[in-house]
Amino acid sequence: MPSFSPGEPASSAIAKVEAFCGIKPGTAFEEQYPGLVSVRRDFLTVPMQPAAECLFYAMAAIDTEQLGFKFGFIGNEVLPKEKK
């Protein structure tokens, strides 16, 4: 797991998590507004990308509130039906 500094910005912390999971920083997460980090809409695909499991476990393992932000999902659309 990456290490974080006290007062580190959310943007830096999520970039470290993405890099830890082998994803280019800025690809999976974004700060929706100050204090709330969510998954980028274009990263959520069906089927899920292989690194998604690492990302979600890593975000669950770190204390995001201690770092000054929350992690959650924002959405108002149904996922598109999987094409056969």
Side-chain angles (χ1 to χ4, degrees), residues 5 12 22 26 30 32-33 37 59 62 64 69-70 80 82:
S5 303
S12 174
E30 65 183 336
Q32 294 289 332
Y33 59 87
V37 170
M59 290 301 282
I62 63 175
T64 58
F69 67 93
K70 293 182 181 189
E82 189 173 342

Side-chain angles (χ1 to χ4, degrees), residues 1-3 6-7 9 12 18 23 26 29 34 43 49-53 58 60 69 71:
M1 288 294 295
S3 60
S12 174
E18 290 171 318
I23 296 175
F29 297 132
F43 183 77
Q49 297 186 32
E53 187 174 10
F69 67 93
F71 174 68

Side-chain angles (χ1 to χ4, degrees), residues 10-11 14 18 26-33 36-43 69-72 74:
S11 59
I14 60 178
E18 290 171 318
T27 303
F29 297 132
E30 65 183 336
E31 193 168 7
Q32 294 289 332
Y33 59 87
L36 179 64
V37 170
S38 187
V39 180
R40 293 179 59 86
R41 205 177 282 187
D42 57 343
F43 183 77
F69 67 93
K70 293 182 181 189
F71 174 68
I74 298 175

Side-chain angles (χ1 to χ4, degrees), residues 50-64:
E53 187 174 10
C54 175
L55 290 168
F56 298 139
Y57 280 134
M59 290 301 282
I62 63 175
D63 187 351
T64 58

